[in-house]
Amino acid sequence: MDGIAFVTEAKKLPAYRFLPIIMLTTESRESRKREGQMAGAKAWVVKPFRPEQILHAVSKLIAP
């Protein structure tokens, strides 16, 4: 199972339906990013990454 398949399956479960998911991946293609968004991922961070990138993604997801 790849990450997009995982997100798709996780979003089917009531407990995770509204859980924001950040994809941490080596994929940088826009087509894969769109697939991830369609599956339910709320943010997409490409490896290698800087810790600030993750912090920025999290802060955007938890901001009121």
Side-chain angles (χ1 to χ4, degrees):
M1 177 182 298
D2 67 7
I4 293 174
F6 172 79
V7 173
T8 300
E9 293 303 312
K11 291 296 185 173
K12 291 179 183 177
L13 301 172
Y16 300 107
R17 193 165 135 199
F18 298 109
L19 181 74
I21 296 175
I22 298 172
M23 296 289 293
L24 178 60
T25 179
T26 60
E27 286 286 345
S28 60
R29 293 179 295 169
E30 283 299 316
S31 60
R32 290 297 282 173
K33 185 176 179 180
R34 281 192 300 279
E35 284 181 59
Q37 290 172 331
M38 294 298 291
K42 296 296 181 193
W44 192 269
V45 179
V46 178
K47 298 176 197 175
F49 67 96
R50 294 181 324 278
E52 300 83 37
Q53 291 172 285
I54 296 289
L55 292 172
H56 179 72
V58 170
S59 68
K60 286 177 67 175
L61 292 173
I62 62 172

